[in-house]
Amino acid sequence: SHVLRWIVKGSLALPIPISLYLYILCYTISLQQRGTSAANMSQKEVNGSSHRGKVLTLETMNQNVRQVEYAVRGPMVLRAVQIEEELKKGVKKPFTEVIKANVGDAHAMGQKPITFIRQVLALCAYPALLEDDKFPEDAKLRARRILDGCGGQSIGAYSASQGIECIRKDVASYIEKRDGGIPSNHENIYLSTGASDAIVTMLKLLICGEGRTRTGVMISIPQYPLYSAALTELQGVQINYYLDEDKCWGLDVGELRRSLTAAREHCNPRALCIINPGNPTGQVQSRQCIEDVIRFAKEEGLLLMADEVYQDNVYAEGCVFHSFKKVLFEMGPEFSSVVELVSFHSTSKCYMGECGFRGGYMEVVNLDPEVKAQLTKLVSVRLCSPVSGQALMDVVVNPPQPGEPSYATFTKERAAVLADLAEKAKLTEESFNNVPGFHCNPVQGAMYTFPRITIPQKAIDQAKAAGQAPDQMYCMKLLETTGICLVPGSGFGQREGTFHFRMTILPPKEKLKYVLEKIAEFNAQFLQDYS
């Protein structure tokens, strides 16, 4: 800048044209320097290298989110994905593929879609196919009805926040038929993004208060980690009640009462969650058990949340699915007019396995009308659940009927899927009970087995020294040795001193046999190494 001032000062003694030229030149250079300086300052701000630093860090982010844990897609799965990448790059392993037996994703495990379901969805997605003679008339009939309920007759349009009305009416009719004629009002049906979205929505409505008045929610242990994760995020109080492993993961009202009494010392218990059939434990609750739970909820003033997404997945002889709503109303007005109940269902499980479409619903019973208005407001914030998932749910609750062209194929495919699952449930139970140190209860329903495993003290000590749960170390070593990805029982909760893992029964039969053999081989070597 000193040089520029000297040039300008000297140039004033020159003839006017030259001096003017030099003055303009120097002024231009000065502007360019200022622009470069400002650009550099702006770039520093963009790159986050200014004095302010990052706005969002681990310390400044929502700490409730930071504390959330979801074992089903936790460290085991992250490592499994890394191993898959290593295999693609040619890294040598004692196995050729990763088998993700950690999650109930039926189609990812090779289950074929139900033909009728996909036909209706194809027609809804591309209505020009309605003129194609390759599609049966009953599929076209359902597709037209769904499209007539959509804005612009397109599933690409938003729906009402509660869901497409004709689909909610079909859901209500399905529930009435399932429950032997007990009425269901479509105004009490909310279509959702899978069952998970609906469960979290209800927890948002429930949780309030501070300190000892903070809402507590009773969940089973072992539990599906969605519940603990949502309660952590929403700062609700998790109230554990333990299922009885020695009685096929039975639910005992005495244990519910023990848990509730203890919880009232530090929070305000307001809801009781039941998963039936059970995840991860695979038990199917008896009617007597459900009646006992309903009486307990009435006596203690608790809202019931019935997670019934596996209602078609019942395999064991003598076991029957009883919906909480059906039992509630059959117990009479003393209960059916008082107990608040929310039931959940999904397109992701049962015989459908359509996880990716994210279809689901909840039915609310005895909800205060003013609270129901708030629920409708809450779901409207997210506009609506995926309309493709709503359409899929409609096909699930309104399948082909006798006399329709698709009925025979549909019933054959549905029965084949459920029969295959029943066979694999039995195979898994028998195989694990032949493994030294394993104890596996009958897989009465759902899609998982949750065997108790024996871990030697030497391995327990090593795991604790490494800051790991012993069954997490076991599962991680299994993954590294065999490529089989499971979820450690510690991710679901378990009684102190016991160890488990959850494994899905979804792999094709031959692959499932391979998995069972490899786990048995690994377990024998593990016990030998740590004996």
Side-chain angles (χ1 to χ4, degrees), residues 166-201:
C166 69
I167 297 178
R168 290 188 289 118
K169 287 181 176 179
D170 286 345
V171 170
S173 296
Y174 161 82
I175 293 171
E176 277 192 25
K177 183 177 179 181
R178 182 198 67 188
D179 293 344
I182 293 168
S184 177
N185 186 338
H186 75 279
E187 295 294 350
N188 293 330
I189 305 296
Y190 289 77
L191 302 182
S192 57
T193 308
S196 300
D197 174 60
I199 290 166
V200 173
T201 297

PDB file of all heavy atoms in Angstrom, residues 166-201:
ATOM      1  N   CYS A 166     -60.822 -44.864   2.718  1.00  0.00           N
ATOM      2  CA  CYS A 166     -61.302 -46.197   2.331  1.00  0.00           C
ATOM      3  C   CYS A 166     -60.395 -47.294   2.876  1.00  0.00           C
ATOM      4  O   CYS A 166     -60.861 -48.395   3.188  1.00  0.00           O
ATOM      5  CB  CYS A 166     -61.446 -46.294   0.810  1.00  0.00           C
ATOM      6  SG  CYS A 166     -59.896 -46.279  -0.117  1.00  0.00           S
ATOM      7  N   ILE A 167     -59.105 -47.001   3.021  1.00  0.00           N
ATOM      8  CA  ILE A 167     -58.173 -47.990   3.582  1.00  0.00           C
ATOM      9  C   ILE A 167     -58.426 -48.140   5.076  1.00  0.00           C
ATOM     10  O   ILE A 167     -58.435 -49.262   5.607  1.00  0.00           O
ATOM     11  CB  ILE A 167     -56.716 -47.590   3.294  1.00  0.00           C
ATOM     12  CG1 ILE A 167     -56.467 -47.572   1.785  1.00  0.00           C
ATOM     13  CG2 ILE A 167     -55.751 -48.555   3.994  1.00  0.00           C
ATOM     14  CD1 ILE A 167     -55.072 -47.142   1.383  1.00  0.00           C
ATOM     15  N   ARG A 168     -58.676 -47.033   5.759  1.00  0.00           N
ATOM     16  CA  ARG A 168     -58.983 -47.121   7.186  1.00  0.00           C
ATOM     17  C   ARG A 168     -60.285 -47.897   7.418  1.00  0.00           C
ATOM     18  O   ARG A 168     -60.402 -48.648   8.393  1.00  0.00           O
ATOM     19  CB  ARG A 168     -59.053 -45.724   7.806  1.00  0.00           C
ATOM     20  CG  ARG A 168     -57.687 -45.053   7.879  1.00  0.00           C
ATOM     21  CD  ARG A 168     -57.699 -43.761   8.666  1.00  0.00           C
ATOM     22  NE  ARG A 168     -58.387 -42.701   7.944  1.00  0.00           N
ATOM     23  CZ  ARG A 168     -59.484 -42.089   8.360  1.00  0.00           C
ATOM     24  NH1 ARG A 168     -60.061 -42.441   9.501  1.00  0.00           N
ATOM     25  NH2 ARG A 168     -60.030 -41.121   7.651  1.00  0.00           N
ATOM     26  N   LYS A 169     -61.224 -47.746   6.509  1.00  0.00           N
ATOM     27  CA  LYS A 169     -62.460 -48.520   6.612  1.00  0.00           C
ATOM     28  C   LYS A 169     -62.186 -50.013   6.413  1.00  0.00           C
ATOM     29  O   LYS A 169     -62.773 -50.866   7.101  1.00  0.00           O
ATOM     30  CB  LYS A 169     -63.487 -48.019   5.594  1.00  0.00           C
ATOM     31  CG  LYS A 169     -64.103 -46.674   5.967  1.00  0.00           C
ATOM     32  CD  LYS A 169     -65.134 -46.221   4.943  1.00  0.00           C
ATOM     33  CE  LYS A 169     -65.800 -44.919   5.382  1.00  0.00           C
ATOM     34  NZ  LYS A 169     -66.794 -44.446   4.389  1.00  0.00           N
ATOM     35  N   ASP A 170     -61.280 -50.332   5.484  1.00  0.00           N
ATOM     36  CA  ASP A 170     -60.917 -51.737   5.266  1.00  0.00           C
ATOM     37  C   ASP A 170     -60.193 -52.312   6.476  1.00  0.00           C
ATOM     38  O   ASP A 170     -60.387 -53.480   6.837  1.00  0.00           O
ATOM     39  CB  ASP A 170     -60.043 -51.872   4.021  1.00  0.00           C
ATOM     40  CG  ASP A 170     -60.840 -51.716   2.732  1.00  0.00           C
ATOM     41  OD1 ASP A 170     -62.083 -51.785   2.792  1.00  0.00           O
ATOM     42  OD2 ASP A 170     -60.212 -51.525   1.670  1.00  0.00           O
ATOM     43  N   VAL A 171     -59.355 -51.505   7.107  1.00  0.00           N
ATOM     44  CA  VAL A 171     -58.667 -51.950   8.323  1.00  0.00           C
ATOM     45  C   VAL A 171     -59.691 -52.243   9.421  1.00  0.00           C
ATOM     46  O   VAL A 171     -59.606 -53.276  10.107  1.00  0.00           O
ATOM     47  CB  VAL A 171     -57.647 -50.896   8.805  1.00  0.00           C
ATOM     48  CG1 VAL A 171     -57.106 -51.257  10.194  1.00  0.00           C
ATOM     49  CG2 VAL A 171     -56.486 -50.779   7.813  1.00  0.00           C
ATOM     50  N   ALA A 172     -60.642 -51.348   9.589  1.00  0.00           N
ATOM     51  CA  ALA A 172     -61.675 -51.551  10.609  1.00  0.00           C
ATOM     52  C   ALA A 172     -62.477 -52.827  10.335  1.00  0.00           C
ATOM     53  O   ALA A 172     -62.777 -53.599  11.259  1.00  0.00           O
ATOM     54  CB  ALA A 172     -62.599 -50.335  10.662  1.00  0.00           C
ATOM     55  N   SER A 173     -62.805 -53.086   9.074  1.00  0.00           N
ATOM     56  CA  SER A 173     -63.536 -54.307   8.718  1.00  0.00           C
ATOM     57  C   SER A 173     -62.704 -55.546   9.015  1.00  0.00           C
ATOM     58  O   SER A 173     -63.224 -56.565   9.496  1.00  0.00           O
ATOM     59  CB  SER A 173     -63.913 -54.281   7.231  1.00  0.00           C
ATOM     60  OG  SER A 173     -64.807 -53.228   6.961  1.00  0.00           O
ATOM     61  N   TYR A 174     -61.403 -55.474   8.726  1.00  0.00           N
ATOM     62  CA  TYR A 174     -60.480 -56.585   9.017  1.00  0.00           C
ATOM     63  C   TYR A 174     -60.461 -56.889  10.510  1.00  0.00           C
ATOM     64  O   TYR A 174     -60.538 -58.058  10.932  1.00  0.00           O
ATOM     65  CB  TYR A 174     -59.083 -56.217   8.515  1.00  0.00           C
ATOM     66  CG  TYR A 174     -57.961 -57.029   9.114  1.00  0.00           C
ATOM     67  CD1 TYR A 174     -57.646 -58.292   8.617  1.00  0.00           C
ATOM     68  CD2 TYR A 174     -57.204 -56.528  10.172  1.00  0.00           C
ATOM     69  CE1 TYR A 174     -56.607 -59.040   9.168  1.00  0.00           C
ATOM     70  CE2 TYR A 174     -56.171 -57.263  10.730  1.00  0.00           C
ATOM     71  CZ  TYR A 174     -55.873 -58.515  10.219  1.00  0.00           C
ATOM     72  OH  TYR A 174     -54.845 -59.238  10.773  1.00  0.00           O
ATOM     73  N   ILE A 175     -60.374 -55.842  11.329  1.00  0.00           N
ATOM     74  CA  ILE A 175     -60.322 -56.026  12.781  1.00  0.00           C
ATOM     75  C   ILE A 175     -61.627 -56.643  13.279  1.00  0.00           C
ATOM     76  O   ILE A 175     -61.608 -57.554  14.117  1.00  0.00           O
ATOM     77  CB  ILE A 175     -60.032 -54.680  13.482  1.00  0.00           C
ATOM     78  CG1 ILE A 175     -58.605 -54.202  13.144  1.00  0.00           C
ATOM     79  CG2 ILE A 175     -60.209 -54.798  14.993  1.00  0.00           C
ATOM     80  CD1 ILE A 175     -58.304 -52.788  13.603  1.00  0.00           C
ATOM     81  N   GLU A 176     -62.753 -56.168  12.765  1.00  0.00           N
ATOM     82  CA  GLU A 176     -64.051 -56.735  13.155  1.00  0.00           C
ATOM     83  C   GLU A 176     -64.116 -58.229  12.839  1.00  0.00           C
ATOM     84  O   GLU A 176     -64.557 -59.045  13.660  1.00  0.00           O
ATOM     85  CB  GLU A 176     -65.181 -56.011  12.420  1.00  0.00           C
ATOM     86  CG  GLU A 176     -65.600 -54.712  13.074  1.00  0.00           C
ATOM     87  CD  GLU A 176     -66.899 -54.166  12.495  1.00  0.00           C
ATOM     88  OE1 GLU A 176     -67.698 -54.977  11.963  1.00  0.00           O
ATOM     89  OE2 GLU A 176     -67.115 -52.943  12.578  1.00  0.00           O
ATOM     90  N   LYS A 177     -63.681 -58.592  11.656  1.00  0.00           N
ATOM     91  CA  LYS A 177     -63.712 -59.996  11.244  1.00  0.00           C
ATOM     92  C   LYS A 177     -62.751 -60.826  12.087  1.00  0.00           C
ATOM     93  O   LYS A 177     -63.097 -61.925  12.551  1.00  0.00           O
ATOM     94  CB  LYS A 177     -63.356 -60.108   9.761  1.00  0.00           C
ATOM     95  CG  LYS A 177     -63.443 -61.527   9.215  1.00  0.00           C
ATOM     96  CD  LYS A 177     -63.154 -61.542   7.721  1.00  0.00           C
ATOM     97  CE  LYS A 177     -63.220 -62.968   7.175  1.00  0.00           C
ATOM     98  NZ  LYS A 177     -62.928 -63.018   5.719  1.00  0.00           N
ATOM     99  N   ARG A 178     -61.541 -60.299  12.305  1.00  0.00           N
ATOM    100  CA  ARG A 178     -60.548 -61.013  13.123  1.00  0.00           C
ATOM    101  C   ARG A 178     -61.063 -61.264  14.523  1.00  0.00           C
ATOM    102  O   ARG A 178     -60.826 -62.328  15.118  1.00  0.00           O
ATOM    103  CB  ARG A 178     -59.254 -60.182  13.186  1.00  0.00           C
ATOM    104  CG  ARG A 178     -58.112 -60.816  13.964  1.00  0.00           C
ATOM    105  CD  ARG A 178     -57.072 -59.779  14.353  1.00  0.00           C
ATOM    106  NE  ARG A 178     -57.594 -58.810  15.315  1.00  0.00           N
ATOM    107  CZ  ARG A 178     -56.942 -57.714  15.702  1.00  0.00           C
ATOM    108  NH1 ARG A 178     -55.760 -57.425  15.175  1.00  0.00           N
ATOM    109  NH2 ARG A 178     -57.483 -56.891  16.589  1.00  0.00           N
ATOM    110  N   ASP A 179     -61.755 -60.284  15.080  1.00  0.00           N
ATOM    111  CA  ASP A 179     -62.191 -60.338  16.478  1.00  0.00           C
ATOM    112  C   ASP A 179     -63.614 -60.849  16.649  1.00  0.00           C
ATOM    113  O   ASP A 179     -64.256 -60.603  17.677  1.00  0.00           O
ATOM    114  CB  ASP A 179     -62.039 -58.956  17.119  1.00  0.00           C
ATOM    115  CG  ASP A 179     -60.583 -58.543  17.257  1.00  0.00           C
ATOM    116  OD1 ASP A 179     -59.704 -59.418  17.141  1.00  0.00           O
ATOM    117  OD2 ASP A 179     -60.319 -57.345  17.463  1.00  0.00           O
ATOM    118  N   GLY A 180     -64.133 -61.540  15.649  1.00  0.00           N
ATOM    119  CA  GLY A 180     -65.429 -62.190  15.805  1.00  0.00           C
ATOM    120  C   GLY A 180     -66.609 -61.253  15.842  1.00  0.00           C
ATOM    121  O   GLY A 180     -67.620 -61.551  16.488  1.00  0.00           O
ATOM    122  N   GLY A 181     -66.508 -60.115  15.158  1.00  0.00           N
ATOM    123  CA  GLY A 181     -67.645 -59.209  15.065  1.00  0.00           C
ATOM    124  C   GLY A 181     -67.635 -58.048  16.032  1.00  0.00           C
ATOM    125  O   GLY A 181     -68.554 -57.213  16.012  1.00  0.00           O
ATOM    126  N   ILE A 182     -66.644 -57.955  16.891  1.00  0.00           N
ATOM    127  CA  ILE A 182     -66.543 -56.803  17.799  1.00  0.00           C
ATOM    128  C   ILE A 182     -66.323 -55.544  16.957  1.00  0.00           C
ATOM    129  O   ILE A 182     -65.401 -55.489  16.140  1.00  0.00           O
ATOM    130  CB  ILE A 182     -65.403 -56.999  18.802  1.00  0.00           C
ATOM    131  CG1 ILE A 182     -65.739 -58.161  19.751  1.00  0.00           C
ATOM    132  CG2 ILE A 182     -65.130 -55.720  19.597  1.00  0.00           C
ATOM    133  CD1 ILE A 182     -64.580 -58.625  20.591  1.00  0.00           C
ATOM    134  N   PRO A 183     -67.160 -54.515  17.121  1.00  0.00           N
ATOM    135  CA  PRO A 183     -67.106 -53.347  16.225  1.00  0.00           C
ATOM    136  C   PRO A 183     -65.757 -52.626  16.253  1.00  0.00           C
ATOM    137  O   PRO A 183     -65.079 -52.560  17.286  1.00  0.00           O
ATOM    138  CB  PRO A 183     -68.219 -52.440  16.761  1.00  0.00           C
ATOM    139  CG  PRO A 183     -69.125 -53.342  17.529  1.00  0.00           C
ATOM    140  CD  PRO A 183     -68.241 -54.404  18.115  1.00  0.00           C
ATOM    141  N   SER A 184     -65.394 -52.083  15.102  1.00  0.00           N
ATOM    142  CA  SER A 184     -64.211 -51.225  14.970  1.00  0.00           C
ATOM    143  C   SER A 184     -64.591 -50.031  14.120  1.00  0.00           C
ATOM    144  O   SER A 184     -65.184 -50.183  13.053  1.00  0.00           O
ATOM    145  CB  SER A 184     -63.051 -51.998  14.319  1.00  0.00           C
ATOM    146  OG  SER A 184     -61.938 -51.158  14.120  1.00  0.00           O
ATOM    147  N   ASN A 185     -64.259 -48.849  14.594  1.00  0.00           N
ATOM    148  CA  ASN A 185     -64.608 -47.605  13.909  1.00  0.00           C
ATOM    149  C   ASN A 185     -63.385 -47.074  13.167  1.00  0.00           C
ATOM    150  O   ASN A 185     -62.314 -46.894  13.777  1.00  0.00           O
ATOM    151  CB  ASN A 185     -65.093 -46.578  14.930  1.00  0.00           C
ATOM    152  CG  ASN A 185     -65.622 -45.312  14.288  1.00  0.00           C
ATOM    153  OD1 ASN A 185     -65.282 -44.984  13.146  1.00  0.00           O
ATOM    154  ND2 ASN A 185     -66.453 -44.584  15.015  1.00  0.00           N
ATOM    155  N   HIS A 186     -63.543 -46.818  11.879  1.00  0.00           N
ATOM    156  CA  HIS A 186     -62.380 -46.353  11.104  1.00  0.00           C
ATOM    157  C   HIS A 186     -61.847 -45.015  11.596  1.00  0.00           C
ATOM    158  O   HIS A 186     -60.692 -44.669  11.331  1.00  0.00           O
ATOM    159  CB  HIS A 186     -62.728 -46.269   9.615  1.00  0.00           C
ATOM    160  CG  HIS A 186     -63.589 -45.109   9.240  1.00  0.00           C
ATOM    161  ND1 HIS A 186     -64.953 -45.089   9.398  1.00  0.00           N
ATOM    162  CD2 HIS A 186     -63.260 -43.897   8.695  1.00  0.00           C
ATOM    163  CE1 HIS A 186     -65.437 -43.940   8.986  1.00  0.00           C
ATOM    164  NE2 HIS A 186     -64.435 -43.196   8.548  1.00  0.00           N
ATOM    165  N   GLU A 187     -62.651 -44.256  12.338  1.00  0.00           N
ATOM    166  CA  GLU A 187     -62.165 -42.989  12.882  1.00  0.00           C
ATOM    167  C   GLU A 187     -61.143 -43.217  13.998  1.00  0.00           C
ATOM    168  O   GLU A 187     -60.432 -42.288  14.392  1.00  0.00           O
ATOM    169  CB  GLU A 187     -63.342 -42.161  13.414  1.00  0.00           C
ATOM    170  CG  GLU A 187     -64.321 -41.703  12.348  1.00  0.00           C
ATOM    171  CD  GLU A 187     -63.706 -40.703  11.375  1.00  0.00           C
ATOM    172  OE1 GLU A 187     -62.580 -40.221  11.626  1.00  0.00           O
ATOM    173  OE2 GLU A 187     -64.359 -40.421  10.347  1.00  0.00           O
ATOM    174  N   ASN A 188     -61.072 -44.446  14.494  1.00  0.00           N
ATOM    175  CA  ASN A 188     -60.082 -44.788  15.524  1.00  0.00           C
ATOM    176  C   ASN A 188     -58.829 -45.431  14.933  1.00  0.00           C
ATOM    177  O   ASN A 188     -57.951 -45.874  15.677  1.00  0.00           O
ATOM    178  CB  ASN A 188     -60.696 -45.741  16.547  1.00  0.00           C
ATOM    179  CG  ASN A 188     -61.787 -45.082  17.367  1.00  0.00           C
ATOM    180  OD1 ASN A 188     -61.751 -43.875  17.602  1.00  0.00           O
ATOM    181  ND2 ASN A 188     -62.770 -45.860  17.810  1.00  0.00           N
ATOM    182  N   ILE A 189     -58.750 -45.493  13.604  1.00  0.00           N
ATOM    183  CA  ILE A 189     -57.614 -46.094  12.914  1.00  0.00           C
ATOM    184  C   ILE A 189     -56.684 -44.997  12.404  1.00  0.00           C
ATOM    185  O   ILE A 189     -57.140 -44.039  11.760  1.00  0.00           O
ATOM    186  CB  ILE A 189     -58.079 -46.960  11.726  1.00  0.00           C
ATOM    187  CG1 ILE A 189     -59.098 -48.010  12.166  1.00  0.00           C
ATOM    188  CG2 ILE A 189     -56.881 -47.613  11.038  1.00  0.00           C
ATOM    189  CD1 ILE A 189     -58.577 -49.051  13.132  1.00  0.00           C
ATOM    190  N   TYR A 190     -55.409 -45.156  12.678  1.00  0.00           N
ATOM    191  CA  TYR A 190     -54.384 -44.235  12.170  1.00  0.00           C
ATOM    192  C   TYR A 190     -53.368 -45.053  11.382  1.00  0.00           C
ATOM    193  O   TYR A 190     -52.708 -45.930  11.938  1.00  0.00           O
ATOM    194  CB  TYR A 190     -53.673 -43.510  13.319  1.00  0.00           C
ATOM    195  CG  TYR A 190     -54.531 -42.486  14.032  1.00  0.00           C
ATOM    196  CD1 TYR A 190     -55.501 -42.881  14.952  1.00  0.00           C
ATOM    197  CD2 TYR A 190     -54.376 -41.124  13.770  1.00  0.00           C
ATOM    198  CE1 TYR A 190     -56.300 -41.944  15.598  1.00  0.00           C
ATOM    199  CE2 TYR A 190     -55.166 -40.180  14.414  1.00  0.00           C
ATOM    200  CZ  TYR A 190     -56.124 -40.594  15.329  1.00  0.00           C
ATOM    201  OH  TYR A 190     -56.913 -39.673  15.961  1.00  0.00           O
ATOM    202  N   LEU A 191     -53.254 -44.788  10.076  1.00  0.00           N
ATOM    203  CA  LEU A 191     -52.240 -45.457   9.261  1.00  0.00           C
ATOM    204  C   LEU A 191     -50.886 -44.808   9.538  1.00  0.00           C
ATOM    205  O   LEU A 191     -50.800 -43.587   9.729  1.00  0.00           O
ATOM    206  CB  LEU A 191     -52.606 -45.366   7.778  1.00  0.00           C
ATOM    207  CG  LEU A 191     -53.971 -45.959   7.406  1.00  0.00           C
ATOM    208  CD1 LEU A 191     -54.215 -45.848   5.903  1.00  0.00           C
ATOM    209  CD2 LEU A 191     -54.077 -47.410   7.854  1.00  0.00           C
ATOM    210  N   SER A 192     -49.846 -45.616   9.559  1.00  0.00           N
ATOM    211  CA  SER A 192     -48.547 -45.126  10.048  1.00  0.00           C
ATOM    212  C   SER A 192     -47.385 -45.672   9.221  1.00  0.00           C
ATOM    213  O   SER A 192     -47.553 -46.590   8.410  1.00  0.00           O
ATOM    214  CB  SER A 192     -48.354 -45.542  11.518  1.00  0.00           C
ATOM    215  OG  SER A 192     -48.454 -46.953  11.654  1.00  0.00           O
ATOM    216  N   THR A 193     -46.226 -45.105   9.449  1.00  0.00           N
ATOM    217  CA  THR A 193     -45.003 -45.524   8.771  1.00  0.00           C
ATOM    218  C   THR A 193     -44.431 -46.734   9.506  1.00  0.00           C
ATOM    219  O   THR A 193     -43.517 -46.617  10.330  1.00  0.00           O
ATOM    220  CB  THR A 193     -43.986 -44.368   8.727  1.00  0.00           C
ATOM    221  OG1 THR A 193     -44.618 -43.210   8.189  1.00  0.00           O
ATOM    222  CG2 THR A 193     -42.774 -44.734   7.885  1.00  0.00           C
ATOM    223  N   GLY A 194     -44.982 -47.900   9.217  1.00  0.00           N
ATOM    224  CA  GLY A 194     -44.673 -49.082  10.009  1.00  0.00           C
ATOM    225  C   GLY A 194     -45.306 -48.940  11.388  1.00  0.00           C
ATOM    226  O   GLY A 194     -45.879 -47.893  11.729  1.00  0.00           O
ATOM    227  N   ALA A 195     -45.207 -49.992  12.188  1.00  0.00           N
ATOM    228  CA  ALA A 195     -45.724 -49.902  13.558  1.00  0.00           C
ATOM    229  C   ALA A 195     -44.843 -49.015  14.424  1.00  0.00           C
ATOM    230  O   ALA A 195     -45.325 -48.347  15.347  1.00  0.00           O
ATOM    231  CB  ALA A 195     -45.817 -51.300  14.166  1.00  0.00           C
ATOM    232  N   SER A 196     -43.546 -48.968  14.120  1.00  0.00           N
ATOM    233  CA  SER A 196     -42.595 -48.211  14.946  1.00  0.00           C
ATOM    234  C   SER A 196     -42.985 -46.747  15.070  1.00  0.00           C
ATOM    235  O   SER A 196     -42.932 -46.160  16.158  1.00  0.00           O
ATOM    236  CB  SER A 196     -41.180 -48.321  14.365  1.00  0.00           C
ATOM    237  OG  SER A 196     -40.751 -49.658  14.316  1.00  0.00           O
ATOM    238  N   ASP A 197     -43.367 -46.146  13.951  1.00  0.00           N
ATOM    239  CA  ASP A 197     -43.752 -44.730  13.942  1.00  0.00           C
ATOM    240  C   ASP A 197     -44.944 -44.484  14.860  1.00  0.00           C
ATOM    241  O   ASP A 197     -44.985 -43.508  15.613  1.00  0.00           O
ATOM    242  CB  ASP A 197     -44.074 -44.310  12.512  1.00  0.00           C
ATOM    243  CG  ASP A 197     -44.632 -42.904  12.415  1.00  0.00           C
ATOM    244  OD1 ASP A 197     -43.932 -41.970  12.821  1.00  0.00           O
ATOM    245  OD2 ASP A 197     -45.769 -42.751  11.933  1.00  0.00           O
ATOM    246  N   ALA A 198     -45.927 -45.388  14.811  1.00  0.00           N
ATOM    247  CA  ALA A 198     -47.114 -45.233  15.641  1.00  0.00           C
ATOM    248  C   ALA A 198     -46.778 -45.384  17.122  1.00  0.00           C
ATOM    249  O   ALA A 198     -47.307 -44.663  17.982  1.00  0.00           O
ATOM    250  CB  ALA A 198     -48.173 -46.261  15.232  1.00  0.00           C
ATOM    251  N   ILE A 199     -45.898 -46.326  17.442  1.00  0.00           N
ATOM    252  CA  ILE A 199     -45.493 -46.541  18.838  1.00  0.00           C
ATOM    253  C   ILE A 199     -44.817 -45.291  19.393  1.00  0.00           C
ATOM    254  O   ILE A 199     -45.130 -44.823  20.499  1.00  0.00           O
ATOM    255  CB  ILE A 199     -44.564 -47.765  18.935  1.00  0.00           C
ATOM    256  CG1 ILE A 199     -45.364 -49.055  18.674  1.00  0.00           C
ATOM    257  CG2 ILE A 199     -43.877 -47.833  20.303  1.00  0.00           C
ATOM    258  CD1 ILE A 199     -44.508 -50.276  18.425  1.00  0.00           C
ATOM    259  N   VAL A 200     -43.894 -44.719  18.631  1.00  0.00           N
ATOM    260  CA  VAL A 200     -43.188 -43.513  19.077  1.00  0.00           C
ATOM    261  C   VAL A 200     -44.170 -42.346  19.216  1.00  0.00           C
ATOM    262  O   VAL A 200     -44.077 -41.554  20.161  1.00  0.00           O
ATOM    263  CB  VAL A 200     -42.048 -43.158  18.107  1.00  0.00           C
ATOM    264  CG1 VAL A 200     -41.425 -41.808  18.477  1.00  0.00           C
ATOM    265  CG2 VAL A 200     -40.976 -44.244  18.110  1.00  0.00           C
ATOM    266  N   THR A 201     -45.121 -42.255  18.307  1.00  0.00           N
ATOM    267  CA  THR A 201     -46.131 -41.191  18.386  1.00  0.00           C
ATOM    268  C   THR A 201     -46.917 -41.279  19.692  1.00  0.00           C
ATOM    269  O   THR A 201     -47.153 -40.267  20.370  1.00  0.00           O
ATOM    270  CB  THR A 201     -47.089 -41.269  17.185  1.00  0.00           C
ATOM    271  OG1 THR A 201     -46.348 -41.040  15.976  1.00  0.00           O
ATOM    272  CG2 THR A 201     -48.191 -40.228  17.290  1.00  0.00           C
TER     273      THR A 201
END
